[in-house]
Amino acid sequence: MKLPSVLASARDGRSAPATPVENLSDFEVAPHEAEPAFEGASLIHGAALLTPEEDARSARTIERRDNVGAAKTAVVLNFAVIMAAIAYVLFTAPNNLALGGASGLSIVIAGLVPGLPSAVALWGVNLACIVIGSVLTGKRAVAWSVAASLALSAYVSLFSQVMPIVSSITGDLWIDLLCAVVLTAVSAAMAYSVGASTGGTDIIIVALAKRTSLTTGIATLLVNSTSVVGSLLLFDLRTGIYCVIGLLIMTVVVNGVLDGMKQHKVVTVICKQPARVEEFIIRDLQRTATISEAYGAYSGNKVTSIMTVLNPRETLRLEKHIRGLDPTAFITYVNTSQITGRGFRLV
């Protein structure tokens, strides 16, 4: 069997640069003739491999990875707000757990004003945040946060009528704190993952970060500390300490959930049929890769090293494909949650 070393003839009719491979004959292959990639080849020209239809589909896939549509944002944000409202009604407000944000401030304000329901106080805090954020930041910049603020207040009012909880539903403040922290942190992480937030004081945080020299992290700490300090002064010491602990735990949980959502793997492959692996990455996974020539330290033989970045689902598909081609393939995986570049949306 005669094996080629060049995949050429790009879609515009121009020949791709030849890629010499030792002991292989050189000749051109049109895109529709290039599947599967030829055994023994160490490098393929991906632009020449894809048909115009495949290239257009790949471009659409990359666009979806880089940008979250309005419909998806609305659905995810709605679930996040419902989760935050449930945490507020069932666990946070009944125990006076001011864990930061608009909900924490509303609990402190409700404690300062006798007879004021926490749900009503939440409406006031959210409306104040909307006004301040619109003036300092601009309406377009806080559009999703405004929608989330209004939705959160509405859901809290609704759930407060359906589930009028006035004391701990578990009888254990520690369990209530953990439930409140987990639900609130997961809801916040869900919102952040689509480039939005659950509203409230997040609008103030954006305004502070834009209008002052404060970083987003420092602005978040200052705003959330307000409600925590208020709980220490207004309620008993035990509740205040629980609020401090809860805020610290929530920060860790939010970061952990976000890292999990952004989790990708840097995959490096050395195998006997690199061109087939490259073709699978480009054509089936609609990703790309970096190809390097290397040498085995023991054998001294030249090998092709393929490095690509994939999400966990894509990683499993690639591993299954490689094991079917070459059971002796050498594959390494490195976890990463911070990637900048086309096809990897910044959260």
Side-chain angles (χ1 to χ4, degrees):
M1 178 179 176
K2 199 173 184 180
L3 298 177
S5 63
V6 177
L7 294 179
S9 294
R11 293 182 302 278
D12 57 5
R14 294 177 296 177
S15 296
T19 306
V21 179
E22 189 176 0
N23 298 325
L24 299 179
S25 301
D26 294 342
F27 63 91
E28 295 182 353
V29 179
H32 68 279
E33 300 171 330
E35 186 177 8
F38 297 98
E39 296 184 24
S42 62
L43 180 65
I44 63 174
H45 186 206
L49 181 66
L50 296 178
T51 64
E53 293 76 15
E54 289 175 319
D55 200 18
R57 185 170 65 250
S58 179
R60 290 194 298 269
T61 300
I62 293 173
E63 179 66 20
R64 286 196 301 270
R65 289 170 180 157
D66 283 335
N67 301 288
V68 180
K72 181 179 179 181
T73 300
V75 171
V76 173
L77 191 55
N78 189 59
F79 276 110
V81 170
I82 289 175
M83 194 177 299
I86 291 174
Y88 184 86
V89 172
L90 295 184
F91 304 107
T92 304
N95 294 289
N96 294 324
L97 294 174
L99 301 177
S103 60
L105 285 175
S106 67
I107 290 173
V108 172
I109 293 173
L112 288 172
V113 181
L116 178 66
S118 58
V120 176
L122 183 61
W123 273 104
V125 172
N126 277 331
L127 290 175
C129 289
I130 290 172
V131 172
I132 295 172
S134 298
V135 172
L136 298 181
T137 308
K139 295 180 180 179
R140 292 178 62 88
V142 295
W144 283 114
S145 294
V146 168
S149 296
L150 297 176
L152 178 61
S153 298
Y155 279 128
V156 167
S157 296
L158 174 62
F159 295 158
S160 295
Q161 295 296 320
V162 176
M163 301 176 290
I165 308 298
V166 295
S167 61
S168 172
I169 63 173
T170 67
D172 189 318
L173 185 56
W174 178 244
I175 295 177
D176 285 348
L177 175 66
L178 291 180
C179 291
V181 165
V182 171
L183 287 173
T184 305
V186 172
S187 69
M190 287 176 61
Y192 296 155
S193 71
V194 293
S197 73
T198 52
T201 55
D202 286 340
I203 304 175
I204 306 299
I205 292 169
V206 171
L208 287 175
K210 182 178 180 180
R211 294 282 181 170
T212 69
S213 60
L214 297 175
T215 65
T216 303
I218 297 299
T220 302
L221 180 63
L222 289 175
V223 172
N224 286 337
S225 296
T226 303
S227 60
V228 174
V229 171
S231 69
L232 283 169
L233 298 176
L234 185 61
F235 305 115
D236 59 278
L237 181 61
R238 179 170 175 263
T239 301
I241 292 175
Y242 268 91
C243 291
V244 174
I245 295 173
L247 182 59
L248 295 175
I249 296 175
M250 189 162 62
T251 303
V252 174
V253 174
V254 169
N255 289 333
V257 173
L258 277 176
D259 283 343
M261 290 180 173
K262 298 185 296 179
Q263 189 69 247
H264 283 74
K265 292 182 182 293
V266 180
V267 184
T268 304
V269 181
I270 297 175
C271 66
K272 296 177 182 177
Q273 297 172 313
R276 293 200 178 199
V277 175
E278 296 161 33
E279 182 195 23
F280 182 80
I281 293 172
I282 294 171
R283 175 168 276 159
D284 293 78
L285 299 182
Q286 297 173 336
R287 295 284 190 182
T288 188
T290 300
I291 312 302
S292 306
E293 287 188 347
Y295 294 88
Y298 180 77
S299 65
N301 294 332
K302 182 187 291 186
V303 296
T304 300
S305 177
I306 306 168
M307 189 277 288
T308 186
V309 181
L310 307 171
N311 63 37
R313 181 177 55 83
E314 294 165 341
T315 302
L316 291 175
R317 290 180 61 193
L318 178 62
E319 181 178 14
K320 183 178 179 180
H321 180 76
I322 294 173
R323 293 306 178 194
L325 290 174
D326 181 9
T328 64
F330 183 77
I331 313 172
T332 60
Y333 309 90
V334 178
N335 290 330
T336 180
S337 60
Q338 191 69 32
I339 309 166
T340 303
R342 188 165 180 255
F344 296 94
R345 182 172 53 87
L346 179 65
V347 178

